[in-house]
Amino acid sequence: MPERQREGVRVMAEARADKPARGWPAWVGDPSRWRRHGWFLAVLALGTALRALAMLGYRPALWFPDSYTYVVTVFKPRPDLVRPAGYSMFLKLLEPFHGFGMVAAAQHLLGLATGVLIYRVARRAPRWVATLATVPVLLDAYQIELEHLLVSDTLFMFLVVAAVALCVSERPAPAAGVVVAIGLLLAAATLTRTVGQPLIVLLAAWYVLRGRLRLAGLLVATALVPVIAYGAWFYATYQRVGLVGANGVFLYARTMSFADCARMDPPPDLRVLCDPRPPERRPPSQEYIWAKDSPLVLLPGITFTKETDDLAGRFATLAITRQPLDYAASVLTELGRTFTWGRPVYPDPEIYAYYQFPVTEPGPPGRYPAQVGADYAKLYERGAIGTEIVEPYAGWLRAYQSMVRLPGPVLLGVLLVPPVAAVMRRRGRGRPTPWPVPWSAAVMLLVTPAAAAEFDYRYVLPAVPLACLAAALSIRSDVRRQCESKKEFGDDIPRNVQL
């Protein structure tokens, strides 16, 4: 064989060796692509290892008082008066596996996927910024613990982050299919936690501001179809309009932190809901929903009947309109708990303990409704339920949780990054930057529970990824504009900046 032919065969053989397997993307076989994302992959690997520890140390999952209600809805499909059924539908999809361990594993995968989404959307920032934006969701010990709890927050977080990620992804002309996907994700989020409803308006407003009215209308219509369908199911079941039947009750409980009947002068039918104790001596708001001595619970019938909910809603409306400044101060007080450095015990030791990896195995549920749910949970698991604590894995996680978390002031700093960057930006040329979308969504998810219910640690965590994404996008915008300016004037662009 001539020398030239031998050389050609050698080159072709090397090309075949370097070529990735058929069916795999080209980047799979490109080591340089993996090296460019090395820091993020290291964080992702550590987050995966921590979640594996949770699966090994606390088998199969951790329970919360709400968990049992969700399981009941799996076997008795009907709308719940307090919580929408979205998370129960998620559990129903996983029922064929007959194990809550599979539910916990799926939620851990959703947590990892949320980190990947944030990195993907923020990829045009400096890579260290995009990687840093994923650290709270991937490595925060309380985030991992929340994923291991059988509650709706992890699913809700993923759905919201996915919708926002699609909304702010850079594309010259968003396709109608993308907008439909955003609407369906927001509908699923709303049916998982009702606090997702305002996000439909928020993301539609983003398209309106960009002059895409038809896409805004398409998003709202797509999101409302499943929501209205669920509302029709709720109405057929209870003859009541809405997605849940507890809005008035929760708002009443919220106003009891400041409501003063001497100043409100309520009519006789509302006076039964007054608490004669001064506000500073009253229990946390949630006690007015569940405590046996609550004025609301002492009324005849169950707490969430239409009559009771309407009565509570009227009381709350009167309290807010007669004491608006007290209401605003109360909301700010609850919101301020988000940004404290430590984690004070709130609203009570029982609820606070659910957010810690436990030292001893939790006991059976105490309340009657939870006991009913526990019976259905045994059907789901096809066996006994509970949480087995396995050492040393559980001890490693407890030690990790005592050291690694996102302090409240740091979250406040992350929220301040986008507006500060916008103020410091000297020129506003080019199309609008998308950071206001995740930033306003994060703020909305923090403010709404403080305004309508009360502060709870698990309500904070779903807002954290959006706040970090907003900060990364605002930094990306500044870097990108600086690079475009250098292009315009013929300067060299730094090699470590990715456009």
Side-chain angles (χ1 to χ4, degrees):
M1 180 183 293
E3 183 66 24
R4 254 174 128 174
Q5 290 184 356
R6 282 199 297 271
E7 180 66 17
V9 170
R10 184 182 65 79
V11 172
M12 291 177 64
E14 291 178 354
R16 288 194 196 97
D18 292 338
K19 186 177 181 180
R22 180 173 295 180
W24 290 89
W27 57 266
V28 172
D30 184 0
S32 64
R33 292 289 295 271
W34 292 94
R35 286 194 296 269
R36 284 199 294 270
H37 304 289
W39 283 109
F40 169 69
L41 293 175
V43 171
L44 183 64
L46 181 56
T48 303
L50 290 169
R51 286 159 174 82
L53 277 182
M55 295 295 297
L56 291 171
Y58 295 92
R59 307 175 187 177
L62 293 172
W63 291 82
F64 193 78
D66 297 357
S67 306
Y68 304 100
T69 303
Y70 290 124
V71 176
V72 169
T73 307
V74 172
F75 292 94
K76 298 178 66 176
R78 59 179 295 173
D80 187 74
L81 284 170
V82 180
R83 304 164 191 89
Y87 185 66
S88 296
M89 298 175 188
F90 174 73
L91 295 178
K92 186 67 176 180
L93 290 175
L94 297 174
E95 185 192 0
F97 296 99
H98 296 292
F100 290 107
M102 182 59 67
V103 177
Q107 293 181 172
H108 286 309
L109 289 175
L110 291 178
L112 293 172
T114 302
V116 173
L117 280 173
I118 295 170
Y119 185 77
R120 180 73 177 85
V121 175
R123 69 193 184 283
R124 297 197 177 187
R127 289 197 184 93
W128 68 268
V129 173
T131 300
L132 195 60
T134 68
V135 167
V137 70
L138 292 178
L139 302 186
D140 187 331
Y142 286 92
Q143 171 68 43
I144 297 167
E145 200 273 346
L146 184 65
E147 293 171 12
H148 211 61
L149 277 172
L150 298 173
V151 289
S152 61
D153 299 83
T154 298
L155 175 62
F156 176 78
M157 175 191 69
F158 173 77
L159 292 170
V160 169
V161 172
V164 171
L166 283 176
C167 186
V168 301
S169 295
E170 294 193 350
R171 52 178 62 86
V178 173
V179 176
V180 168
I182 294 171
L184 292 177
L185 286 168
L186 291 176
T190 298
L191 298 181
T192 301
R193 280 188 57 197
T194 53
V195 72
Q197 294 177 79
L199 298 178
I200 298 174
V201 178
L202 177 66
L203 268 64
W206 171 248
Y207 285 109
V208 171
L209 291 175
R210 298 175 68 187
R212 302 184 182 277
L213 300 181
R214 294 181 62 183
L215 292 180
L218 178 62
L219 187 154
V220 172
T222 305
L224 287 183
V225 168
V227 171
I228 292 175
Y230 185 89
W233 185 30
F234 186 86
Y235 183 83
T237 305
Y238 300 107
Q239 287 72 54
R240 298 169 65 177
V241 176
L243 302 179
V244 294
N247 292 327
V249 169
F250 275 86
L251 192 59
Y252 160 78
R254 180 69 198 84
T255 60
M256 290 308 293
S257 62
F258 65 88
D260 183 353
C261 284
R263 295 170 59 186
M264 291 167 51
D265 190 23
D269 62 332
L270 295 183
R271 285 192 176 275
V272 295
L273 298 182
C274 293
D275 188 340
R277 292 173 292 182
E280 61 272 12
R281 293 180 55 190
R282 295 176 186 174
S285 294
Q286 69 161 8
E287 293 299 314
Y288 288 92
I289 303 175
W290 312 111
K292 294 180 179 180
D293 60 348
S294 165
L296 199 66
V297 177
L298 292 174
L299 293 177
I302 64 172
T303 306
F304 303 105
T305 62
K306 185 178 187 305
E307 293 74 20
T308 301
D309 190 63
D310 289 345
L311 191 72
R314 287 173 51 213
F315 185 97
T317 302
L318 183 64
I320 293 172
T321 54
R322 295 286 176 88
Q323 299 177 250
L325 295 181
D326 292 333
Y327 174 63
S330 181
V331 171
L332 290 176
T333 299
E334 291 295 298
L335 183 61
R337 301 181 193 278
T338 305
F339 307 116
T340 57
W341 181 265
R343 287 178 66 91
V345 175
Y346 190 84
D348 58 53
E350 179 186 359
I351 297 299
Y352 181 85
Y354 284 113
Y355 306 138
Q356 306 280 340
F357 284 111
V359 177
T360 59
E361 296 181 9
R367 295 177 179 175
Y368 172 73
Q371 293 173 3
V372 174
D375 293 335
Y376 282 103
K378 293 173 184 177
L379 293 177
Y380 192 101
E381 184 75 15
R382 287 193 175 178
I385 62 170
T387 302
E388 178 187 3
I389 299 178
V390 181
E391 303 293 351
Y393 314 112
W396 294 345
L397 268 180
R398 291 194 299 270
Y400 181 81
Q401 189 174 35
S402 68
M403 297 182 293
V404 182
R405 64 178 180 84
L406 181 69
V410 176
L411 175 58
L412 179 60
V414 171
L415 285 169
L416 291 176
V417 167
V420 170
V423 170
M424 295 179 63
R425 193 174 296 126
R426 295 181 179 179
R427 293 184 296 174
R429 303 181 343 177
R431 60 181 177 176
T433 57
W435 68 260
V437 179
W439 185 85
S440 55
V443 171
M444 186 174 292
L445 291 178
L446 293 174
V447 172
T448 303
E454 69 176 349
F455 168 82
D456 195 302
Y457 286 108
R458 70 186 179 102
Y459 296 159
V460 174
L461 288 176
V464 171
L466 296 172
C468 294
L469 177 59
L473 290 175
S474 67
I475 295 174
R476 179 203 65 181
S477 302
D478 289 338
V479 171
R480 186 174 184 181
R481 183 172 288 106
Q482 179 183 4
C483 294
E484 289 174 349
S485 175
K486 288 180 177 292
K487 277 185 176 181
E488 180 180 350
F489 291 100
D491 297 335
D492 292 332
I493 298 174
R495 293 184 179 179
N496 64 335
V497 175
Q498 299 297 315
L499 292 177

